[in-house]
Amino acid sequence: MAYTARPRRTTMVLATLSLGVMALTACNGDGEKDSAAPSASSSPSGAGAGKGSAAPSTSAPSDGGKADGDSAGTGGSTPQASAPAADDGQDGGVGMCETTDLSYNVTVASKPVNHALLKATNKSSDSCLLPANELVITIPGLDGAAEHAGPEGKDWILKSGESAYAGILFARADTEGGKTADKVEIALTPAESPATVPINDGPVTVNDGQVTSFFGTAEDALTY
């Protein structure tokens, strides 16, 4: 009987061990499931991270588009940048010369014939912008102003004490007759009242008056 009792105990021990192994296996299975759960939950977080990283990449083109828009806006503002001063850039904020700002001297030239030299000097204490091409010369008692002759000059700043020159043609050599004159009327622009100036070494005969623009030298003024 002792021999039969041992196998029963052995069987019970084995059964107990089998139950323990099954329990351990079940626990291990649950543990694996539990450990697998975080990994499953980590994949959404990874997907979320992917979405988050995608957001900056989509914003980059919009920033680039904005930069392009800014540069385009800058290009559109170019006409404003062109709005500054006079075309020749010489005025520097200086006021225009008026007829009363200058003193005038008209002298008959030895050559060319029938010409006189006009010298205009800034007698004011301030610089002014001289209108080079609007000079008006008239002869008292004669209708109309002298026509423009020669090339147009550029307005420039005439400092205090500086002078500008213009040539006046009173008569053409191939034209006979005319009116005798010993003075001229001078205005820097048609809108101003003229100054009456005597003609040195006059009188002269006038039948076809012409005047040049203002130049920086007497030689240039008498070339035309």
Side-chain angles (χ1 to χ4, degrees), residues 133 148-153 212-215 224:
N133 305 305
H148 178 82
E152 290 189 352
T212 69
S213 298
F214 276 118
F215 292 92
Y224 307 98

Side-chain angles (χ1 to χ4, degrees), residues 1-9:
M1 297 295 292
Y3 290 104
T4 57
R6 244 179 227 176
R8 286 180 183 175
R9 287 182 182 176

Side-chain angles (χ1 to χ4, degrees), residues 50-83:
K51 291 181 180 178
S53 63
S57 66
T58 56
S59 65
S62 65
D63 291 342
K66 184 177 181 180
D68 292 341
D70 291 344
S71 63
T74 303
S77 64
T78 302
Q80 295 179 357
S82 66

Side-chain angles (χ1 to χ4, degrees), residues 14-198:
L14 291 174
T16 302
L17 289 174
S18 297
L19 291 173
V21 170
M22 292 176 64
L24 288 174
T25 303
C27 291
N28 288 337
D30 294 338
E32 289 175 359
K33 289 180 180 180
D34 294 339
S35 63
S39 64
S41 65
S42 65
S43 61
S45 64
K51 291 181 180 178
S53 63
S57 66
T58 56
S59 65
S62 65
D63 291 342
K66 184 177 181 180
D68 292 341
D70 291 344
S71 63
T74 303
S77 64
T78 302
Q80 295 179 357
S82 66
D87 292 340
D88 55 14
Q90 293 182 349
D91 65 347
V94 176
M96 296 297 296
C97 295
E98 297 182 0
T99 300
T100 54
D101 293 329
L102 310 184
S103 61
Y104 305 93
N105 183 287
V106 177
T107 303
V108 174
S110 57
K111 60 180 182 179
V113 295
N114 300 329
H115 279 70
L117 177 67
L118 166 63
K119 179 181 179 181
T121 304
N122 184 358
K123 65 180 181 179
S124 71
S125 58
D126 298 322
S127 299
C128 60
L129 186 64
L130 180 68
N133 305 305
E134 299 184 60
L135 182 60
V136 180
I137 300 293
T138 55
I139 304 297
L142 290 180
D143 294 334
E147 296 179 356
H148 178 82
E152 290 189 352
K154 288 187 176 181
D155 299 354
W156 82 89
I157 293 177
L158 193 66
K159 297 180 180 179
S160 178
E162 288 185 343
S163 299
Y165 302 87
I168 302 173
L169 172 65
F170 289 114
R172 293 184 179 276
D174 58 355
T175 302
E176 297 182 358
K179 177 180 174 60
T180 300
D182 58 1
K183 60 186 67 175
V184 296
E185 294 179 339
I186 301 171
L188 295 183
T189 66
E192 297 183 76
S193 299
T196 301
V197 180

